[in-house]
Amino acid sequence: LAYSPDRNLRWEQVASHEFGFEANAFNNRLYVEAAYYNKRTKDLMIAERTGGAVGNRLGNIAEIVNKGIELTS
């Protein structure tokens, strides 16, 4: 096997939120759009070295947060 089995391995979990608004003014000559987004992924599966004869193992050992603001005019 390339990876040793892990009984505690779980599915990755994703939570995502986005809030925004749009506005037009001056007879549609000015358009503004703004959005805030936040995405959090936890229990990412990453291969980690065990250092033994077994080799590597997959584990839920990482988390990623992606957030920001988008502006359009």
Side-chain angles (χ1 to χ4, degrees), residues 32-55:
V32 177
E33 180 180 346
Y36 169 77
Y37 59 91
N38 187 353
K39 180 180 178 184
R40 178 180 176 209
T41 306
K42 66 180 197 174
D43 294 334
L44 246 78
M45 291 188 291
I46 303 289
E48 57 182 335
R49 288 197 112 82
T50 58
V54 177

Side-chain angles (χ1 to χ4, degrees), residues 20-41:
F21 76 93
E22 298 177 26
N24 284 315
F26 305 115
N27 202 16
N28 289 333
R29 295 169 99 191
L30 177 64
Y31 172 78
V32 177
E33 180 180 346
Y36 169 77
Y37 59 91
N38 187 353
K39 180 180 178 184
R40 178 180 176 209
T41 306

